[in-house]
Amino acid sequence: MSGFFPSLETFAKGTLATAATLSTLGVGLAYYGQNYLIYPSAFPPGSRTDVAAPSDFELPYENLELKTPDEVVLRCYLLPQRKDAGAGEAFLDIPAAMSEDEFIASRPTVIMFHGNGGNLGHRIPLAGIFFKRMRCNVLMMCYRGYGHSEGSPSEKGLRIDAQTGLDYLTTHPILKQTNIILYGQSIGGAVAIDLASRNASKITALILENTFTSLPSLVPHALPALGPLAFLCHQKWDSAAKIPLIPPTTPVLMLSGARDDLVPREHMRALWEAVARRGEKRTAGGVEYKVGLERARYVEFEGGGHNDTCTQPGYWSAVSDFIASLGSVSQKEKEKEKETPAGLARSSSL
């Protein structure tokens, strides 16, 4: 009978070899296949083929094709304002003599960066709130590999996509005159933070919902089985390191769901601390002053989960109030500048 069974030594060697092979395979899959986990663009089923249009929600829009520097075509939606779009919550006394183009130029433009599942069509109701209630122009970005856009998603690719969207606005004959606000949910928040950190002078404000400090730090919670392999995560999205690159004069609104079971609220709180530190005391010319903190706000919604924070009572009021406050940023900036050591020096020399 003994001939039918392997020896313990042979069995042990075989087990070790199998374990080593499976471990190597697991590491390989974790490293080379992580983009499929991080960017599930085909989920829910049909997300790459069935993409709703703003017209399905009675919103006027333009199909916008953007070609990135690496020759990827992004199929996005642009919702430029219209004088007859309705008063909404942002009551506007529009002069009769104002042209459509002048009206568009007078309103803020929101760039929407969505989360890692689904497509831009799933977020049209949110765009509708920006468009109708707050009277904003809206650019709905569609990352590469999502919806009807070409290519495959990656951190490098999404960074290019975001820059392409911003460049389109800043070179547009009308929209380049508008205040540009970045709105990012989940991984879209990381995209927004990255873009703002590289284009500080072009961004008016950021609105961030349920985003994370970095992907490697999120892996142990979001994917516990892969926690020990978090060091292999090559998609970094290190927002905590990029927040300090955003000037303290850039307003930031942070919206956190206390019941988020995917991105623990500790991540948003850590990012908030980084945002708040932009307002630390500074000294120049022997004068100590503080900048930036009054331009940031953190709002936590006790009933908010990862995907439904935007449906919580008070969410859109917070967003609306924040955007309304930006209308006077330019004047506040001038007044604040007078209070800085440099401004005081100029005043005393007059």
Side-chain angles (χ1 to χ4, degrees):
M1 289 290 293
S2 61
F4 289 96
F5 294 96
S7 66
L8 289 177
E9 181 180 1
T10 302
F11 179 80
K13 289 180 179 179
T15 301
L16 289 173
T18 301
T21 300
L22 291 176
S23 297
T24 301
L25 180 61
V27 169
L29 288 174
Y31 186 81
Y32 294 105
Q34 62 188 257
N35 280 20
Y36 294 100
L37 294 173
I38 296 170
Y39 311 104
S41 58
F43 182 83
S47 292
R48 292 304 313 277
T49 55
D50 303 327
V51 182
S55 57
D56 297 335
F57 297 82
E58 300 182 349
L59 293 170
Y61 78 107
E62 301 172 12
N63 279 312
L64 180 65
E65 287 195 353
L66 299 175
K67 181 172 281 190
T68 67
D70 57 344
E71 301 295 315
V72 174
V73 175
L74 309 177
R75 295 184 170 88
C76 310
Y77 294 145
L78 178 66
L79 286 67
Q81 266 303 317
R82 289 168 47 169
K83 293 172 64 177
D84 63 356
E89 191 172 273
F91 177 76
L92 303 173
D93 185 12
I94 308 171
M98 177 180 277
S99 70
E100 287 285 351
D101 287 350
E102 288 172 334
F103 180 63
I104 291 171
S106 72
R107 303 305 301 155
T109 298
V110 174
I111 308 181
M112 293 181 63
F113 297 111
H114 64 74
N116 68 340
N119 58 51
L120 78 169
H122 297 130
R123 281 78 179 186
I124 293 173
L126 308 186
I129 298 176
F130 282 117
F131 184 83
K132 287 189 172 182
R133 178 171 168 175
M134 299 172 219
R135 303 305 300 275
C136 297
N137 307 298
V138 183
L139 171 56
M140 299 186 71
M141 291 299 298
C142 185
Y143 314 129
R144 63 185 63 203
Y146 280 79
H148 292 156
S149 292
E150 298 177 351
S152 300
S154 66
E155 181 175 8
K156 178 181 178 181
L158 268 61
R159 294 177 76 233
I160 294 173
D161 297 346
Q163 188 67 55
T164 300
L166 179 61
D167 291 346
Y168 169 80
L169 292 180
T170 56
T171 56
H172 190 281
I174 300 170
L175 296 172
K176 69 180 181 181
Q177 304 172 55
T178 68
N179 284 341
I180 297 176
I181 302 167
L182 307 184
Y183 173 71
Q185 296 176 297
S186 191
I187 203 168
V191 177
I193 290 170
D194 174 79
L195 183 64
S197 73
R198 295 183 287 111
N199 298 270
S201 65
K202 301 175 183 178
I203 303 303
T204 299
L206 287 88
I207 303 174
L208 309 171
E209 179 201 307
N210 292 337
T211 191
F212 43 81
T213 55
S214 74
L215 269 183
S217 65
L218 180 63
V219 169
H221 179 85
L223 299 169
L226 296 180
L229 302 177
F231 69 96
L232 292 174
C233 188
H234 53 65
Q235 302 292 290
K236 303 298 185 183
W237 291 114
D238 192 353
S239 294
K242 293 171 183 175
I243 285 286
L245 302 178
I246 300 173
T249 51
T250 301
V252 179
L253 173 63
M254 304 191 72
L255 306 162
S256 176
R259 296 185 180 180
D260 191 332
D261 56 357
L262 182 62
V263 179
R265 60 181 174 179
E266 285 74 21
H267 281 254
M268 282 289 282
R269 287 177 173 174
L271 289 178
W272 165 245
E273 291 176 4
V275 168
R277 281 196 295 272
R278 299 180 314 154
E280 290 177 343
K281 292 181 180 180
R282 301 182 183 182
T283 303
V287 179
E288 189 177 77
Y289 65 105
K290 194 172 185 179
V291 296
L293 187 57
E294 73 279 5
R295 300 184 185 279
R297 187 183 179 199
Y298 181 93
V299 184
E300 190 168 275
F301 300 90
E302 284 302 320
H306 188 69
N307 295 313
D308 65 0
T309 295
C310 62
T311 68
Q312 299 303 304
Y315 180 97
W316 289 105
S317 294
V319 174
S320 182
D321 291 345
F322 178 74
I323 289 180
S325 73
L326 301 177
S328 57
V329 163
S330 296
Q331 183 59 37
K332 287 181 180 178
E333 195 65 54
K334 293 177 183 178
E335 295 173 357
K336 190 65 180 178
E337 196 273 339
K338 293 178 183 178
E339 301 173 6
T340 65
L344 293 171
R346 277 196 291 274
S347 298
S348 62
S349 66
L350 296 178

